[in-house]
């Protein structure tokens, strides 16, 4: 079983989900056992904030990194050529990115409980994304919410240079940033409002995350 390649065997593919499941369970258990009663609301808000952070990361990494920065764009192009293949970021690399870019900086800037709560939200979002993306390419549906997501994702896979539907689990950022469909006839104020609102949302999340400790 190889864990350091882009295309994985089925065993490694399942191990990826299992390891993230263990990480989520561990973070949740830590929060339940270590937090006082007055911290539970704070932790819950941070978990929700982590889900929102993941939503923004999902869109931004897909649009600007996987479709814009080499060598990631070359690796992702292979997924577009063979969408049914088990191609994804190696578990060790994705785990290091979550630890190095999310958990450790938050622990250093805040405290262990808040870092754990926000990281839990991000990991829940990531696993939800991974399961959704797997279902879009490997499960057959001809109705319902999953079918509608499959239709949107199929639009992203059309053509050699995708320009729409970068969000996998949500349309929110695509609608906000005008990548949900053709942009013909969109007024100038609407084109400027999306990035501005995105910046305000991210600023609000940062204020929430880095406010002074109690």
């Amino acid at each position: 079983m190889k864990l350091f390649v882009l295309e994985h065997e089925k065993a490694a593919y399942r191990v990826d989900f299992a390891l993230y499941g263990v990480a989520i369970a561990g973070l949740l258990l830590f929060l339940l056992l270590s937090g006082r009663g007055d911290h539970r609301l704070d932790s819950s808000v941070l978990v929700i904030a982590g889900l929102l952070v993941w939503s923004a990361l999902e869109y931004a990494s897909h649009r600007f990194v996987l479709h814009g920065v080499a060598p990631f764009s070359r690796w992702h192009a292979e997924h577009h050529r063979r969408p049914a293949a088990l191609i994804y970021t190696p578990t060790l690399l994705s785990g290091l990115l979550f630890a190095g870019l999310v958990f450790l900086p938050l622990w250093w800037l805040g405290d262990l409980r808040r870092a754990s709560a926000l990281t839990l939200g991000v990991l829940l979002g990531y696993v939800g994304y991974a399961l959704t993306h797997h279902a879009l390419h490997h499960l057959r549906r001809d109705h319902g919410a999953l079918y509608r997501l499959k239709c949107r994702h199929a639009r992203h896979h059309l053509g050699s240079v995708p320009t729409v539907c970068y969000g996998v689990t949500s349309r929110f950022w695509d609608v906000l940033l005008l990548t949900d469909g053709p942009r013909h006839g969109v007024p100038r104020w609407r084109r400027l409002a999306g990035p501005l609102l995105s910046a305000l949302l991210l600023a609000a999340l940062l204020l929430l995350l880095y406010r002074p400790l109690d």
Side-chain angles (χ1 to χ4, degrees):
M1 182 175 65
K2 297 179 180 179
L3 295 178
F4 299 95
V5 294
L6 290 175
E7 184 171 359
H8 291 71
E9 301 171 357
K10 288 185 178 181
Y13 194 66
R14 293 174 182 141
V15 166
D16 185 71
F17 286 107
L19 289 176
Y20 278 108
V22 170
I24 287 170
L27 289 171
L28 180 59
L29 184 62
F30 169 75
L31 291 172
L32 291 174
L33 294 179
S34 64
R36 303 193 307 268
D38 58 342
H39 283 159
R40 289 179 180 173
L41 178 60
D42 184 67
S43 295
S44 299
V45 170
L46 287 171
V47 171
I48 295 172
L51 287 167
L52 296 175
V53 168
W54 168 255
S55 176
L57 287 174
E58 176 189 311
Y59 177 90
S61 62
H62 192 184
R63 179 178 179 182
F64 300 112
V65 178
L66 297 183
H67 284 289
V69 179
F72 306 105
S73 56
R74 292 197 300 272
W75 298 344
H76 190 64
E78 188 63 25
H79 165 64
H80 276 259
R81 284 191 291 270
R82 296 186 296 131
L86 299 180
I87 295 173
Y88 68 97
T89 305
T91 306
L92 180 61
L93 177 57
S94 62
L96 288 174
L97 288 173
F98 285 127
L101 299 180
V102 180
F103 179 74
L104 293 176
L106 288 170
W107 188 4
W108 181 66
L109 290 168
D111 65 2
L112 181 59
R113 178 183 58 81
R114 286 178 173 171
S116 299
L118 186 105
T119 303
L120 174 59
V122 172
L123 292 185
L124 285 170
Y126 171 74
V127 171
Y129 153 79
L131 289 171
T132 300
H133 191 253
H134 175 84
L136 295 181
H137 287 291
H138 297 278
L139 296 184
R140 293 190 176 185
R141 289 291 186 274
D142 57 4
H143 62 279
L146 183 59
Y147 175 72
R148 291 191 291 272
L149 285 176
K150 284 175 71 73
C151 291
R152 286 195 72 251
H153 198 59
R155 291 172 59 201
H156 174 74
H157 274 264
L158 288 174
S160 58
V161 183
T163 58
V164 296
C165 301
Y166 295 100
V168 174
T169 57
S170 171
R171 293 179 57 200
F172 176 78
W173 298 101
D174 280 304
V175 171
L176 189 64
L177 298 176
L178 304 177
T179 54
D180 198 46
R183 299 178 57 175
H184 305 300
V186 177
R188 181 177 176 80
W189 72 267
R190 176 70 177 84
R191 294 197 298 270
L192 297 175
L196 178 60
L197 182 55
S198 301
L200 291 175
L201 286 172
L202 292 176
L205 281 174
L206 290 174
L207 288 174
L208 172 66
L209 297 176
Y210 301 128
R211 68 191 188 281
L213 298 177
D214 299 330

